[in-house]
C-alpha cells in the first residue's frame, strides 16, 4: 500500500549516512494517515495528475536561502566578502561547525504556515532525493501518454541531480543515492570524489534534458494549467544545471579535491562550454528565455504587484523557487532584507562592504583601479557602473518619497556619513537600524517599502536560482579554460567568451571590454571574476564562486571594510578613509563544510572532510 511506502519516508535515505539524523519523525500531515484513510499505489502513481501531484512536493523542497530562512539566511551570504552586519555574522570567524540555523535542522515539515522559516538545505535535499527515487521506482504503474511519462521521469531525474548538486557545493563528494533504500539495509554507500559525484549528477541532468519539454505551455499535458507553467522544470533547466555542474567540477578547488591539481579540468570545461552553448543557442532561436532589458532589469528580482499575482523573473529567470505563500515571503523580504530596516524591530542589518563596492567599475566600462578609468577616490560614487545605482544606497540617496511627516522628512535621504543618523548600530531614530559600512543595498526591495510610503504589501521579491545571465558568464569562463583563450568559442555557439561577457555588460549599458582585458587569459579571467561579482551581487553566488576558484583565502578577499567620511558643506564626502572592520578566517579546510560528527560515525565509508 502507498500508505506504508509513504510512511517509510520517516526512514528516508537509509543506505547513506544522512538518513539516521532524521529517523525520529517526518512530514506528519502528509505521511501520518488514519488507518481507514488508506490509499493504494495505483491511486498515487496510476495517473499523470496524481503522479504529478506527488512530484510537486519536490519543488517545494528547494530552499530559498534569501527568504524562507528568514534571519538565518546570513550564512552563505555573509561567508564571503560581500556584506557585514550590525551584529557578528556566522562563519566570518571560521567556525563552520555552526550550521544549525541554515543547513542542518529538523525533519522536513510541510505545514507551510508555521514552518517556512524552519526550512533547511540538508534535510530537505535528502528528503527530495528520496522522493525522486521513489517516483522513479514506480514509473511502471503510470498509465499516461508518452509525453506525460517522459515529463514525470524527467522531473524526478532533474531533482535527484539538483539536490545532490546542492549538497555537493557545500560539502564536496557524496554517496550518490539513486535507488530507494530499505530500512533494514546496511549503510554501505561510499563517499565518492567530487568529480565522481558530479559525473553521476551529469548523467541524470542529461537524461532529464532529453525527456523534458522546452516549455510546458503548448504541450497537451500543460494545457490544463496553461499560463501557470512558468515554474515547471524544462529542458532549459536541465541543460543549464548540467552546464553549471560540469563547470563546478572543472573548477580549481573541485579539481584539486578530486585529482590534486589546482587548475581547471580542461575536458570538463569543454563539456560545460558545449552544454551552455546549447542553452544560449536554443534561447536565441526560440526566445523561450531572453536577457531582460536594462530598463526592466529589476524585474529579475522584484515587481510591483498590488494584486499579489505578478511574479518577478521577467524573460530572464530560468529557475525560481516555488512560492506557496507569497504574502509570507513578502513579509520576510521587507522586514528582514529591507536595506534600511524601517520599522523592522530587528537590529541585524546586512549591508554591503566597501571592499566589495570596489568591484563596481566606471560607466566607461573600466575597473576603478585602471589608470584610465577616471575614478576619483575623493568623489567615489560619481560616474560608476549603472548597476551600482540600482543595487546600492550611498550617502545622499533618496529613500522616502512621501516625506511630509516629520519622521519621514528626517529619513528622506540617506545619511551615511560618520555622524549620520543612518550610520553605525541603531541610531536615535528607533525606526531605523544603521549601517556599519556606509552603505545599504536595495537590490531586493524597491524604494517605497517604509512606514511613510507604505508600499510593503504591493510588491513581490524572489531570489533567482538560475538566470540566463549566469549561463552567459559561465559559458565565457568554461570556454576560456576549455578552449584556451578569450577569443575562443564552443563549436556549438556563434559567440566567443568575450562576446558572452560583453552581452551582459552591454545590457547594463556598458561598452565592450577594452582590448587590454581581452588579449590575455589571466586579465580576462579577472574581468570575469569582477563581472560576476557585480552582476550577481547579493544573489548568493559569491561564497561558492570564490571557493571554487580556490581564491577565497587570498588576502584581497579576507578583509571586510567600511568607508568612513564626513559630509562637506557642498554635500560631497570629505576625509574619506577605508577601515577594516572584520578580517575573515579562511584556511584550506574551509573549502568544504564539516559534516556533523554524528553522521561521520555511522560507517567507515563516510569520512569527515579534511581538516575537521
Amino acid at each position: 500500500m502507498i500508505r506504508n511506502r509513504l510512511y517509510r519516508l520517516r526512514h528516508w535515505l537509509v543506505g547513506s549516512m544522512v538518513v539516521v539524523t532524521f529517523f525520529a519523525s517526518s512530514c506528519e500531515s502528509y505521511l501520518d494517515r488514519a488507518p481507514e484513510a488508506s490509499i493504494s499505489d495505483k491511486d498515487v502513481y496510476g495517473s499523470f495528475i496524481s503522479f504529478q501531484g506527488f512530484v510537486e512536493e519536490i519543488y517545494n523542497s528547494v530552499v530559498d536561502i534569501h527568504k524562507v530562512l528568514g534571519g538565518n539566511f546570513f550564512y552563505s551570504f555573509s561567508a564571503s566578502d560581500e556584506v557585514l552586519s550590525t551584529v557578528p555574522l556566522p562563519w566570518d570567524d571560521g567556525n563552520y561547525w555552526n550550521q544549525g540555523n541554515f543547513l542542518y535542522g529538523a525533519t522536513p515539515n510541510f505545514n507551510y504556515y508555521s514552518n517556512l522559516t524552519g526550512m533547511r538545505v540538508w534535510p530537505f535535499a535528502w528528503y527530495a532525493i528520496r522522493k525522486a527515487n521513489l517516483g522513479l521506482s514506480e514509473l511502471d504503474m503510470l498509465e499516461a501518454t508518452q509525453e506525460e511519462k517522459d515529463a514525470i521521469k524527467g522531473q524526478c531525474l532533474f531533482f535527484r541531480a539538483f539536490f545532490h548538486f546542492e549538497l555537493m557545493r557545500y560539502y564536496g563528494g557524496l554517496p550518490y543515492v539513486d535507488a530507494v533504500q530499505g530500512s533494514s539495509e546496511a549503510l554501505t554507500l561510499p563517499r565518492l570524489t567530487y568529480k565522481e559525484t558530479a559525473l553521476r549528477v551529469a548523467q541524470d541532468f542529461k537524461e532529464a534534458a532529453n525527456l523534458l519539454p522546452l516549455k510546458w505551455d503548448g504541450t497537451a499535458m500543460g494545457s490544463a494549467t496553461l499560463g501557470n507553467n512558468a515554474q515547471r522544470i524544462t529542458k532549459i533547466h536541465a541543460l543549464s544545471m548540467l552546464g553549471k555542474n560540469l563547470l563546478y567540477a572543472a573548477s580549481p578547488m573541485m579539481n584539486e579535491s578530486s585529482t590534486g591539481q589546482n587548475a581547471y579540468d580542461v575536458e570538463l570545461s569543454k563539456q560545460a562550454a558545449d552544454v551552455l552553448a546549447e542553452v544560449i543557442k536554443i534561447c536565441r532561436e526560440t526566445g523561450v528565455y531572453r536577457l531582460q532589458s536594462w530598463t526592466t532589469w529589476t524585474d529579475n528580482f522584484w515587481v510591483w504587484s498590488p494584486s499579489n499575482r505578478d511574479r518577478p523573473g521577467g524573460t530572464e529567470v530560468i529557475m525560481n523557487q516555488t512560492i506557496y505563500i507569497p504574502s509570507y515571503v513578502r513579509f520576510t523580504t521587507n522586514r528582514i532584507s529591507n536595506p534600511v530596516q524601517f520599522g523592522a524591530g530587528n537590529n541585524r542589518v546586512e549591508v554591503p562592504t566597501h571592499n566589495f563596492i570596489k568591484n563596481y567599475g566606471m560607466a566607461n566600462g573600466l575597473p576603478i583601479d585602471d589608470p584610465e578609468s577616471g575614478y576619483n577616490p575623493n568623489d567615489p560614487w560619481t560616474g560608476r557602473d549603472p548597476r551600482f545605482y540600482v543595487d546600492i544606497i550611498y550617502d545622499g540617496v533618496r529613500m522616502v518619497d512621501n516625506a511630509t511627516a516629520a519622521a519621514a522628512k528626517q529619513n528622506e535621504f540617506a545619511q551615511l556619513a560618520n555622524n549620520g543618523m543612518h550610520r553605525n548600530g541603531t541610531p536615535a531614530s528607533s525606526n531605523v537600524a544603521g549601517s556599519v559600512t556606509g552603505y545599504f543595498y536595495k537590490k531586493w526591495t524597491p524604494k517605497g517599502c517604509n512606514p511613510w510610503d507604505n508600499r510593503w504589501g504591493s510588491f513581490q521579491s524572489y531570489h533567482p536560482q538560475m538566470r540566463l545571465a549566469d549561463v552567459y558568464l559561465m559559458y565565457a569562463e568554461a570556454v576560456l579554460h576549455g578552449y584556451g583563450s578569450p577569443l575562443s568559442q564552443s563549436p556549438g555557439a556563434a559567440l566567443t567568451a568575450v562576446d558572452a561577457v560583453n552581452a551582459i555588460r552591454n545590457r547594463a549599458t556598458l561598452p565592450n571590454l577594452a582590448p587590454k582585458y581581452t588579449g590575455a587569459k589571466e586579465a580576462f579571467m579577472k574581468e570575469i571574476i569582477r563581472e560576476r561579482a557585480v552582476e550577481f551581487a547579493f544573489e548568493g553566488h559569491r561564497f561558492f564562486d570564490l571557493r571554487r576558484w580556490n581564491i577565497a583565502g587570498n588576502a584581497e578577499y579576507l578583509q571586510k571594510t567600511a568607508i568612513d567620511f564626513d559630509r562637506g558643506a557642498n554635500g560631497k564626502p570629505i576625509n574619506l578613509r577605508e577601515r577594516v572592520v572584520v578580517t575573515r578566517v579562511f584556511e584550506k579546510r574551509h573549502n568544504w563544510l564539516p559534516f556533523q560528527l554524528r553522521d561521520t560515525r555511522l560507517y567507515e565509508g563516510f569520512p569527515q572532510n579534511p581538516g575537521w
Side-chain angles (χ1 to χ4, degrees), residues 57-89:
E57 191 179 65
I58 307 179
Y59 282 77
N60 292 344
S61 296
V62 179
V63 175
D64 183 345
I65 58 176
H66 199 270
K67 308 224 181 38
V68 296
L69 293 173
N72 299 315
F73 75 84
F74 295 95
Y75 282 83
S76 67
F77 280 62
S78 66
S80 65
D81 64 338
E82 278 182 297
V83 297
L84 271 169
S85 174
T86 48
V87 297
L89 289 170

Side-chain angles (χ1 to χ4, degrees), residues 436-594:
V436 297
T437 66
Y439 301 98
F440 293 117
Y441 66 75
K442 55 180 177 176
K443 189 165 192 173
W444 303 105
T445 312
K447 183 175 63 173
C449 296
N450 57 66
W452 306 285
D453 295 325
N454 196 28
R455 301 182 72 181
W456 297 111
S458 299
F459 84 104
Q460 297 283 348
S461 176
Y462 301 164
H463 172 251
Q465 281 276 343
M466 174 71 74
R467 290 201 276 131
L468 187 57
D470 198 6
V471 173
Y472 273 80
L473 293 183
M474 288 191 296
Y475 169 80
E477 181 183 343
V479 166
L480 178 67
H481 297 287
Y483 289 98
S485 82
L487 298 179
S488 299
Q489 64 185 57
S490 165
L495 77 165
T496 66
V498 172
D499 293 334
V501 173
N502 283 337
I504 305 306
R505 290 168 57 86
N506 294 163
R507 185 263 296 277
T509 72
L510 290 171
N512 289 344
L513 281 168
K516 69 175 84 174
Y517 298 110
T518 62
K521 191 173 183 178
E522 182 178 354
F524 183 61
M525 185 60 199
K526 286 183 178 179
E527 284 302 285
I528 289 177
I529 292 172
R530 191 174 67 83
E531 187 63 31
R532 286 191 65 85
V534 173
E535 178 67 22
F536 303 117
F538 321 119
E539 292 185 47
H541 292 265
R542 185 75 167 172
F543 173 63
F544 300 104
D545 280 347
L546 292 181
R547 286 169 52 246
R548 68 182 180 85
W549 292 326
N550 236 351
I551 60 176
N554 289 9
E556 64 264 38
Y557 303 115
L558 293 180
Q559 292 186 339
K560 295 187 175 186
T561 66
I563 183 71
D564 290 335
F565 62 96
D566 301 309
R567 183 182 287 181
N570 63 354
K572 292 284 188 178
I574 58 173
N575 304 323
L576 288 98
R577 54 205 175 275
E578 185 174 7
R579 172 174 52 88
V580 176
V581 181
V582 168
T583 299
R584 296 171 48 241
V585 175
F586 194 96
E587 302 166 355
K588 194 69 173 177
R589 65 174 179 163
H590 293 107
N591 283 343
W592 303 116
L593 273 63

